[in-house]
Amino acid sequence: MGLDYYAILDVPRDATTLEIKLAYRKWSPICHPLRKNIVCDIESEFPELCATNENRPCSGLNDSSYWKYLHEAYDVLSNPLSREVYNLYGEEGLKKGVPTNWGFFHPYAFHGDCHKIYREFFASYSPFADLIDAVTNPPPLTLNSDGKLIKKVKDKDIEEVLDITLEEVYKGDNKKIKIMRHEFIDDAKTKTEIREKWLKVPIKRGIESGTVIRFPDEGDRNPTRFPGDVVITINVKNHETFKRDKENLYMTHKISLKEALCDFSLKIHTLDDRILRIKVTDTISPTYNTIIEGEGLPVTDCPAKFGNLIVNYEIEFPKYIPKAIKTQFAELFDKL
């Protein structure tokens, strides 16, 4: 059975990248080979400086082996590609190399330089790098309702969905959205109540459904927390005529059998209130389409450039054709 890198770091298999980094940050200084060799004369006053690795994961491994495997686990799991291969094929596939959808993954071999990884993470070789970081970058503190000193953290985000039309995607605009958030109601900033807040959301031309627009620090006001963000997710509503695929627009136009075989004119009302008149002279088959270049949506990163409008056709056949007319059709088709 191969190494369980997740158990070594003491994180679940679905751990986020941040959780993997926090686990490495927790265990690597405590298990640093030099840390246990430093005599702590002030242990009684500052026991956190002499934290031991007695409760570390994989207690069956000796300290030297765990120090090596800890860095190997972090090296693998902090890299999205090697982590994906490890998740699919385990340690054996990771270290032998495997064919993947994106090409052959070459065998992984840990370089063995644990101190290099440690130095890159903490910007220090010190076995007390975690404590140095806490001193040089102290967390903001505040008092809670019980008068105790606590770390001031950022509040949760306010999340909203903003519905927009395909016309608004084409034209672009600023659209207002109302959110409800806690606001301070006293000068001391200790009391809050829920009030409405209007935000102006920029709608870029060609914006796609699912786009996230973030307003930093516009969330709830709280005396013991920093304001969270307001996160707006764009939802483009379905259109009665057009469907989109990125910057291209698609529509289906119903035509009669006569129109499919003979010339006809196509009239299209565009998203910016123009009327296109297209003369179609080709014979229309079920797979035929008309491509109108530059009549799609603006390209988000280059709004002066447009996609295409693709018109597909649905041919409506007559439900009944008299025998005499069928005979005439047959004679005509024989001449084609």
Side-chain angles (χ1 to χ4, degrees):
M1 186 174 179
L3 290 172
D4 187 343
Y5 291 136
Y6 292 98
I8 291 171
L9 280 166
D10 194 27
V11 295
R13 293 189 68 85
D14 60 351
T16 64
T17 301
L18 177 60
E19 289 172 331
I20 289 171
K21 289 183 177 181
L22 289 174
Y24 175 79
R25 187 185 189 282
K26 174 182 179 181
W27 295 115
S28 55
I30 292 177
C31 299
H32 195 292
L34 298 178
R35 186 154 174 158
K36 66 179 181 179
N37 297 328
I38 297 177
V39 178
C40 296
D41 297 328
I42 53 175
E43 181 175 3
S44 59
E45 294 185 59
F46 301 100
E48 66 275 10
L49 295 180
C50 302
T52 65
N53 58 12
E54 293 177 356
N55 297 320
R56 67 164 169 79
C58 304
S59 56
L61 294 173
N62 61 45
D63 292 344
S64 177
S65 295
Y66 180 74
W67 171 253
K68 173 183 177 296
Y69 288 137
L70 174 68
H71 287 79
E72 182 177 328
Y74 178 72
D75 191 47
V76 171
L77 299 185
S78 62
N79 182 297
L81 180 57
S82 60
R83 181 181 181 182
E84 181 70 16
V85 171
Y86 173 73
N87 287 344
L88 292 173
Y89 304 102
E91 184 195 7
E92 182 178 1
L94 178 74
K95 294 184 176 180
K96 285 186 176 180
V98 292
T100 68
N101 293 333
W102 55 84
F104 185 77
F105 179 84
H106 294 281
Y108 167 84
F110 181 53
H111 53 70
D113 193 346
C114 299
H115 290 284
K116 178 178 182 292
I117 295 176
Y118 188 91
R119 172 70 175 80
E120 289 175 349
F121 189 93
F122 288 104
S124 171
Y125 289 111
S126 170
F128 297 104
D130 55 336
L131 301 176
I132 294 172
D133 182 58
V135 172
T136 56
N137 299 288
L141 302 175
T142 186
L143 295 175
N144 65 9
S145 58
D146 297 327
K148 295 181 179 179
L149 198 62
I150 60 172
K151 180 180 178 181
K152 190 172 183 178
V153 297
K154 191 166 185 174
D155 210 342
K156 63 181 181 180
D157 296 337
I158 296 176
E159 298 180 350
E160 297 286 348
V161 175
L162 178 60
D163 293 326
I164 62 174
T165 65
L166 203 55
E167 285 81 2
E168 289 172 321
V169 173
Y170 186 94
K171 298 174 183 177
D173 201 356
N174 289 320
K175 193 163 184 177
K176 288 185 177 181
I177 185 173
K178 182 177 73 173
I179 63 167
M180 305 302 294
R181 72 176 188 182
H182 286 88
E183 299 267 12
F184 289 120
I185 57 174
D186 63 333
D187 294 337
K189 296 184 177 182
T190 58
K191 298 179 181 179
T192 64
E193 69 176 19
I194 297 178
R195 292 180 178 176
E196 66 180 38
K197 168 75 174 181
W198 287 91
L199 296 174
K200 185 182 292 185
V201 183
I203 306 299
K204 290 185 177 180
R205 301 186 70 190
I207 193 169
E208 293 197 37
S209 196
T211 299
V212 174
I213 300 174
R214 185 176 293 271
F215 292 84
D217 304 328
E218 288 288 353
D220 291 322
R221 272 42 186 163
N222 188 308
T224 61
R225 294 176 181 268
F226 293 115
D229 299 342
V230 173
V231 181
I232 307 296
T233 302
I234 299 297
N235 176 56
V236 181
K237 296 188 291 187
N238 292 332
H239 194 272
E240 61 181 3
T241 301
F242 302 110
K243 293 183 179 180
R244 76 175 296 184
D245 180 13
K246 297 184 179 178
E247 65 269 17
N248 291 327
L249 289 176
Y250 293 81
M251 65 173 288
T252 300
H253 181 68
K254 291 183 179 181
I255 58 174
S256 66
L257 181 59
K258 175 186 175 182
E259 291 173 319
L261 299 175
C262 307
D263 298 352
F264 69 95
S265 294
L266 177 63
K267 185 170 73 171
I268 303 173
H269 292 269
T270 66
L271 294 173
D272 59 341
D273 303 319
R274 291 178 294 116
I275 296 179
L276 300 178
R277 288 182 171 87
I278 310 296
K279 183 70 173 178
V280 182
T281 58
D282 293 336
T283 300
I284 308 301
S285 67
T287 58
Y288 181 91
N289 58 38
T290 300
I291 300 176
I292 308 172
E293 295 185 356
E295 289 295 343
L297 292 171
V299 178
T300 306
D301 297 329
C302 184
K305 185 178 179 181
F306 290 79
N308 297 328
L309 170 59
I310 296 94
V311 183
N312 297 312
Y313 297 98
E314 180 181 329
I315 303 172
E316 295 181 318
F317 289 84
K319 295 181 179 179
Y320 172 74
I321 300 176
K323 186 175 181 180
I325 296 179
K326 285 184 179 180
T327 302
Q328 293 177 13
F329 275 145
E331 293 174 354
L332 290 172
F333 287 136
D334 286 341
K335 296 178 181 179
L336 296 177

